[in-house]
Amino acid sequence: MNVRFLGAAGTVTGSCSHLSAGGLQLLVDCGLHQGPGADEANRTPFAFPPPALDVVFLTHAHIDHSGLLPRLVREGFRGRILATAATADLVEVMLRDSAQIQEKDAEWLTRRAQRAGDETRREPLYTPADAEAVVPLVRRQPYGQVTPLGGGLECRFLDAGHILGSASLELWYPHQRGKRKMVFSGDVGKRDNPIVRNPQTVDAADYVVVESTYGDRLHKGLAESIDELAEAVRDTVARGGNVLIPSFAVGRTQDVVYLLNRLVREGRLPRFDLYVDSPLAQEATRVYLAHPEAFDEEAQALLRRRTTRGLRLHFTTTVRQSQALNRVRSGAVILAGSGMCEGGRIGHHLKHNLWRPECSVIFVGYQAEGTLGRKIVEGAPLVQILGEDIAVRAEVHTIGGFSAHADREELLDWLDAFTTSPEVFLVHGEPRAAAALEDAIRRRLGLVTQRPERGQAFEV
């Protein structure tokens, strides 16, 4: 089998691996690139002819794993997209939202160019019609079911414990020395993540492709992180400010709402109004509630109780409702996308609150290099938001324990569960994180490792 790493090599976005085996052409994820240079990367021609692809495996719905599927279909892909049931439902709402953003961004760039005397129209990366064309190709794949693909290949999804529906992929393929097995971790979840189950481990493989997002660090404990969250919210409200929580609409938003609600139910926070300013988050939350079979036991029990003693939750769907939040001077806790502050409604809330010392910004997820979120976390005194320089005077909290990704020790434990000694390919991590994890794997597990560059191919 030949495997080419076409995305998330030396970075954390644009996940995409191309496989050739048994006469089939396969793709593991087809993600959107994010951050500096992303538009050019997202418009670069595919390194394979899309009509020649037979199967795409989708490990989960996050846009950095699924966001180029509409372009793939528009350019001729007509094969199967295999995903879990929850991922199938989530990716439908995510791609619809992404397409609307692509169209709005193209319109804004066109108007800006016209004001500068350039009449060239900017075309969106893809349209809502392109996103809708993905849906009929998705095939729902249960966890644990071995499925023949043809050409002697078989696959199986295991629960990755990252977000609802996330999966690791086992792939068996023919080889001249007998059948071999390659495992793609997808994004491995942190143990004891809210709502979802802990990640399943794999017993054996010849090759493993593993993410390395947090390969150079350890997360704080969840209990400690919950304490920090409660303290930050309490203190900010007490001094008359607003709390902003930049959050990914799928996964992180549902986790934070769940935990804040638990704090209110336990009496550790007074009952308050929480505003989720994201139409996508509202749709994603509906999908979460439709898939209790993927919840852990604690979340299933809470769903059954359906108590009304928690926080007051409000979803703001319209632009007018979102704008009204910017007139609130104190006591608002606002969850809004995007999680890295690159676009979305969080930008407007930051513009109105980041310069106010009585306010707080709580980061509960990874901030990639070059993003606005990363600049704020690293202590920039001044940032540009929506074309305006904004002073950073609000308190900034970074609470790493809410990450949905496994940290270094959890990734090492996940790899240590293999009874064989697979060769390991490290992807989905910035160079420093991947290098640190690679060093730990070699020293502690004694495994052969590779850190592929973008476009690099291997025979396995």
Side-chain angles (χ1 to χ4, degrees):
M1 180 166 72
N2 179 274
V3 54
R4 282 189 295 169
F5 296 94
L6 302 177
T11 184
V12 294
T13 68
S15 290
C16 184
S17 300
H18 178 255
L19 315 175
S20 302
L24 298 180
Q25 300 288 313
L26 315 168
L27 213 60
V28 181
D29 290 333
C30 191
L32 201 71
H33 300 274
Q34 297 167 303
D39 187 63
E40 180 181 357
N42 288 325
R43 294 179 186 274
T44 298
F46 289 113
F48 50 84
L53 283 177
D54 298 287
V55 176
V56 175
F57 302 102
L58 187 57
T59 63
H60 63 287
H62 275 155
I63 212 71
D64 61 323
H65 290 256
S66 67
L68 282 184
L69 285 172
R71 203 190 125 201
L72 189 76
V73 173
R74 187 186 65 205
E75 295 185 19
F77 171 67
R78 295 296 181 270
R80 292 174 288 168
I81 300 171
L82 298 185
T84 66
T87 294
D89 288 341
L90 283 173
V91 81
E92 182 175 349
V93 299
M94 290 200 74
L95 293 181
R96 188 181 300 128
D97 179 79
S98 178
Q100 291 171 352
I101 291 172
Q102 297 298 331
E103 285 202 323
K104 289 177 182 176
D105 286 351
E107 291 172 4
W108 181 80
L109 288 169
T110 297
R111 288 197 300 270
R112 189 176 73 169
Q114 288 173 343
R115 288 193 294 268
D118 182 355
E119 295 300 323
T120 305
R121 177 172 176 77
R122 270 53 177 180
E123 295 298 328
L125 184 63
Y126 49 79
T127 68
D130 296 326
E132 295 297 337
V134 173
V135 177
L137 303 181
V138 178
R139 303 290 182 269
R140 294 163 186 258
Q141 180 82 4
Y143 287 125
Q145 175 181 296
V146 176
T147 299
L149 302 169
L153 281 77
E154 296 177 310
C155 70
R156 178 167 62 185
F157 282 144
L158 300 177
D159 195 337
H162 174 58
I163 65 168
L164 194 80
S166 61
S168 299
L169 169 68
E170 297 176 287
L171 183 65
W172 292 266
Y173 60 94
H175 188 269
Q176 59 188 6
R177 296 180 183 175
K179 186 164 282 193
R180 288 194 171 178
K181 180 181 175 184
M182 192 168 202
V183 171
F184 291 80
S185 72
D187 285 357
V188 181
K190 178 172 59 65
R191 282 191 291 270
D192 299 323
N193 269 335
I195 303 176
V196 298
R197 295 185 289 259
N198 284 341
Q200 290 181 272
T201 55
V202 187
D203 58 355
D206 299 289
Y207 302 94
V208 177
V209 179
V210 66
E211 64 120 323
S212 56
T213 311
Y214 285 102
D216 61 343
R217 69 196 80 176
L218 302 178
H219 295 318
K220 295 176 184 176
L222 182 60
E224 181 184 355
S225 296
I226 293 172
D227 289 344
E228 286 186 43
L229 176 66
E231 184 178 2
V233 172
R234 260 195 316 266
D235 290 352
T236 307
V237 173
R239 64 176 182 263
N242 294 324
V243 178
L244 305 184
I245 307 178
S247 184
F248 299 105
V250 177
R252 196 62 43 82
T253 289
Q254 289 74 33
D255 289 350
V256 174
V257 170
Y258 177 88
L259 291 172
L260 286 171
N261 188 59
R262 194 167 87 184
L263 286 167
V264 173
R265 284 171 43 80
E266 293 173 352
R268 296 173 62 188
L269 282 177
R271 200 170 186 215
F272 63 91
D273 293 287
L274 174 65
Y275 299 92
V276 178
D277 191 17
S278 167
L280 175 58
Q282 182 176 15
E283 291 298 317
T285 301
R286 287 182 180 139
V287 174
Y288 263 66
L289 293 172
H291 287 279
E293 77 282 355
F295 290 8
D296 63 17
E297 291 182 5
E298 180 184 352
Q300 288 181 349
L302 184 62
L303 185 65
R304 287 193 296 269
R305 284 198 292 270
R306 292 189 180 277
T307 179
T308 60
R309 291 187 293 111
L311 53 77
R312 293 184 292 270
L313 180 62
H314 310 275
F315 287 96
T316 58
T317 54
T318 68
V319 172
R320 179 174 293 181
Q321 290 172 332
S322 178
Q323 291 171 337
L325 293 178
N326 291 323
R327 295 191 290 273
V328 178
R329 304 302 295 171
S330 66
V333 180
I334 303 170
L335 271 162
S338 71
M340 298 185 193
C341 306
E342 293 288 295
R345 294 181 176 180
I346 192 63
H348 296 275
H349 300 308
L350 288 168
K351 180 178 176 180
H352 285 84
N353 293 276
L354 189 60
W355 54 273
R356 300 173 59 210
E358 65 271 27
C359 295
S360 289
V361 183
I362 303 176
F363 288 96
V364 292
Y366 186 80
Q367 305 301 307
E369 286 185 1
T371 61
L372 175 58
R374 183 69 161 259
K375 293 172 185 174
I376 295 172
V377 165
E378 290 182 341
L382 197 72
V383 293
Q384 189 169 83
I385 301 174
L386 303 173
E388 186 175 337
D389 288 336
I390 304 295
V392 182
R393 296 198 185 104
E395 282 197 4
V396 177
H397 303 265
T398 303
I399 308 181
F402 294 140
S403 172
H405 286 268
D407 65 12
R408 183 188 66 217
E409 292 303 311
E410 290 168 324
L411 288 169
L412 289 170
D413 288 345
W414 188 84
L415 287 167
D416 196 33
F418 285 91
T419 57
T420 55
S421 298
E423 185 172 346
V424 178
F425 297 86
L426 291 105
V427 298
H428 204 285
E430 292 173 359
R432 184 176 65 181
L437 182 60
E438 180 179 42
D439 180 65
I441 291 170
R442 288 176 174 177
R443 285 187 296 102
R444 292 169 55 175
L445 304 181
L447 301 177
V448 175
T449 62
Q450 304 280 354
R451 278 195 292 137
E453 297 178 358
R454 187 176 175 187
Q456 191 170 2
F458 297 83
E459 285 292 333
V460 296

